Amino acid sequence: MGRRNHLNVGVVIFLIIIIYVLFNVFSYFTKSTAAEYEVGQGTIATNHVYSALAVRDETIVYAGQSGYVNYYIKNGAKAAVNDIVYSIDTAGTISDQITAAASNEAQLSDELISEVSDDVDTFTENYDGTSFSSVYTFRDDLGAQLTQTLSVNALNALSDVVTTAAENNTFFLRTAGEAGIVVYYTDGYENVTVDNFSSDVMDSSGYSRNSLYAGEYVSSGSPVYKRINSETWNLIMAVPDDVAKGLSDSSTVKIRFCKDNYTVSAPFSIIKSGGNYYLNLTLTTAMIRYANDRFLDVELVVSEQTGLKIPNTAITSKEFFTVPKEYFTLGGDSSDPGLLIRSEEDEDVVTLVTPTIYYETDDYYYIDSEDVSAGDVVLMSDSSRTYTIGSDTDSLIGVYNINKGYAVFKQINIISQNETYAIVETKTSYGIALYDHIALDASKISENELVTR
């Protein structure tokens, strides 16, 4: 009797385990490592940034005597009628004492230190390295703020000396004749108005200003400070024809100040002068905020689109067969639309194929070559009509969804786009959804490729 061979179950199981391990090792090393991006909600604004000229109701106040000037109102602060704004010391002795007393750091209150600290933090957060000159302006404004606050304390401490000098007509305290915002610079733009501005004054390249400092000698009749008489002010900016025409049906526009990202909506008018269009915005807020700025970079927020925000690097395109919907039928083991494909070898043999649908229009389904090929003949159910796959094609833009560990093309409808990101429609039938994971760089991945997340 011959010897019978018995199958060793243990060996079989061991071989299965080895094959499984080898398969996983192979899959691991053949997978692509794809940087991923989680789809989130976002907004892209289609905006334009322009240099705007600030036009205000300004009055220069001139010194009545020659002498050394000291200031007692913070730059950019409001002075009421009869508030002491500055002093003129014809001899300079009291001005020196005020300056010396003001240099005593012990007089710095906690409130003042906190205020200065907040100003420094705000400037640091919004500093633009392309505008280094703003550092000097900020330094001067901050120094003036400290000097003016401390000068008030020094003036009170020297009250007896000040009284004597005033009686001898060598020291003059000057008060505000009218209420307004006090600033300590002039620039030659004080008489520019909405009615008389020209293209020349809109050019900021040659702009300069004359800062007024405490402790300096001023001549009688020289500018000593400037008063802004109203908190209503205007921003004027040159805009292209298409922007001006695009705003013609609106009465207000939202703007963002690039300096500190402050946003506000303001009424506007369009002025045409010398063949150019100018946007004239009228504001009743934030005047003090920008009282020391003559030119401001302003962004017009003309439109905002909200949807799913994805990086442009994730976007790719794919060619599809477009098949008329009338050739799709329901049947078989699936409730999804399918196609009756006639065999090339035997016309009597028909196979029901259920391809993946990537997109649809009113008349067509978009399918790829995974289940059908160009040249396949589709039969229409209950009809003798046929359709050849590949007769019509179209491309879709989309991304690679990697939720399941391999790349699956998903079409997207872009509604807004800038240099870095795109906003796509939400809740599309064959698209992506919030929190989906997609390949960050579509150029480094292929469809159906296994990916390591």
Side-chain angles (χ1 to χ4, degrees):
M1 187 171 175
R3 182 178 168 183
R4 298 178 63 183
N5 293 325
H6 294 281
L7 187 64
N8 191 321
V9 177
V11 172
V12 173
I13 294 175
F14 177 75
L15 289 174
I16 292 174
I17 293 173
I18 290 296
I19 294 171
Y20 176 77
V21 171
L22 290 175
F23 173 77
N24 281 278
V25 170
F26 175 78
S27 298
Y28 176 80
F29 284 106
T30 55
K31 278 184 177 182
S32 297
T33 301
E36 65 180 72
Y37 176 86
E38 184 178 85
V39 177
Q41 196 82 6
T43 299
I44 286 182
T46 306
N47 305 333
H48 309 274
V49 176
Y50 302 101
S51 177
L53 172 70
V55 175
R56 310 178 186 91
D57 179 9
E58 301 173 339
T59 301
I60 298 176
V61 177
Y62 299 91
Q65 296 82 21
S66 298
Y68 296 88
V69 64
N70 285 92
Y71 296 113
Y72 308 100
I73 294 288
K74 176 184 173 182
N75 183 53
K78 191 169 186 176
V81 176
N82 294 326
D83 280 351
I84 298 175
V85 178
Y86 71 100
S87 64
I88 294 290
D89 180 13
T90 58
T93 54
I94 296 181
S95 179
D96 289 342
Q97 293 180 64
I98 291 174
T99 301
S103 64
N104 182 4
E105 296 181 0
Q107 296 185 53
L108 293 174
S109 65
D110 292 340
E111 181 180 356
L112 179 59
I113 293 174
S114 177
E115 185 177 344
V116 169
S117 178
D118 290 343
D119 290 342
V120 171
D121 288 343
T122 300
F123 177 79
T124 303
E125 290 173 2
N126 298 291
Y127 172 67
D128 181 0
T130 61
S131 181
F132 187 74
S133 60
S134 62
V135 174
Y136 297 104
T137 301
F138 177 70
R139 178 201 62 186
D140 293 343
D141 292 342
L142 191 61
Q145 176 184 347
L146 291 170
T147 300
Q148 288 141 21
T149 302
L150 295 174
S151 292
V152 172
N153 297 335
L155 185 66
N156 294 330
L158 299 169
S159 59
D160 292 340
V161 178
V162 167
T163 300
T164 300
E167 291 174 350
N168 293 329
N169 293 322
T170 60
F171 188 82
F172 302 89
L173 288 173
R174 295 306 182 195
T175 60
E178 296 181 28
I181 310 301
V182 174
V183 290
Y184 299 109
Y185 76 93
T186 60
D187 58 8
Y189 285 73
E190 286 77 16
N191 294 321
V192 175
T193 68
V194 173
D195 297 323
N196 68 15
F197 79 92
S198 65
S199 58
D200 293 338
V201 301
M202 297 295 297
D203 182 8
S204 63
S205 60
Y207 176 75
S208 63
R209 72 182 207 173
N210 175 40
S211 296
L212 305 172
Y213 300 105
E216 290 190 340
Y217 185 86
V218 298
S219 299
S220 177
S222 297
V224 67
Y225 76 92
K226 182 165 62 179
R227 183 181 67 245
I228 302 175
N229 302 305
S230 172
E231 294 192 37
T232 298
W233 58 303
N234 294 79
L235 284 173
I236 302 174
M237 63 195 80
V239 295
D241 297 5
D242 60 332
V243 173
K245 293 173 182 176
L247 293 170
S248 60
D249 293 331
S250 304
S251 58
T252 63
V253 65
K254 183 179 179 181
I255 62 173
R256 180 184 69 86
F257 290 90
C258 299
K259 179 179 181 179
D260 55 6
N261 293 319
Y262 178 74
T263 59
V264 65
S265 293
F268 68 90
S269 61
I270 301 293
I271 299 173
K272 189 173 183 180
S273 175
N276 298 318
Y277 286 97
Y278 297 90
L279 189 64
N280 170 38
L281 296 94
T282 302
L283 298 97
T284 56
T285 61
M287 194 282 297
I288 294 178
R289 192 184 191 105
Y290 307 106
N292 289 293
D293 298 295
R294 181 62 70 185
F295 289 94
L296 289 153
D297 286 336
V298 175
E299 183 177 38
L300 298 184
V301 185
V302 294
S303 67
E304 289 183 325
Q305 297 288 350
T306 299
L308 301 179
K309 189 174 184 178
I310 61 173
N312 289 336
T313 55
I315 300 174
T316 186
S317 63
K318 180 180 176 180
E319 192 80 9
F320 289 91
F321 301 127
T322 57
V323 181
K325 287 183 174 180
E326 58 187 340
Y327 283 91
F328 282 80
T329 185
L330 297 177
D333 298 328
S334 174
S335 59
D336 296 326
L339 294 172
L340 297 173
I341 306 296
R342 187 174 66 192
S343 172
E344 294 182 3
E345 291 76 18
D346 187 349
E347 293 187 355
D348 294 329
V349 177
V350 178
T351 304
L352 177 63
V353 175
T354 307
T356 301
I357 296 174
Y358 290 85
Y359 184 64
E360 67 176 291
T361 64
D362 291 340
D363 300 316
Y364 291 90
Y365 282 125
Y366 284 61
I367 62 175
D368 65 5
S369 58
E370 182 178 359
D371 301 293
V372 297
S373 301
D376 285 348
V377 177
V378 182
L379 305 180
M380 179 182 286
S381 179
D382 300 326
S383 173
S384 60
R385 292 172 59 190
T386 62
Y387 177 84
T388 302
I389 298 293
S391 299
D392 302 289
T393 62
D394 195 8
S395 61
L396 295 175
I397 58 172
V399 297
Y400 289 123
N401 184 304
I402 57 174
N403 285 347
K404 297 180 180 180
Y406 58 93
V408 178
F409 181 89
K410 296 287 186 179
Q411 71 86 25
I412 57 174
N413 293 327
I414 297 176
I415 56 178
S416 183
Q417 192 171 24
N418 60 19
E419 297 81 2
T420 308
Y421 289 95
I423 297 296
V424 304
E425 287 184 5
T426 59
K427 299 179 180 180
T428 52
S429 299
Y430 304 97
I432 56 175
L434 189 65
Y435 307 127
D436 273 354
H437 290 259
I438 62 175
L440 179 62
D441 189 346
S443 66
K444 296 181 179 179
I445 199 169
S446 301
E447 189 170 12
N448 296 321
E449 182 178 354
L450 295 174
V451 294
T452 300
R453 294 172 56 189

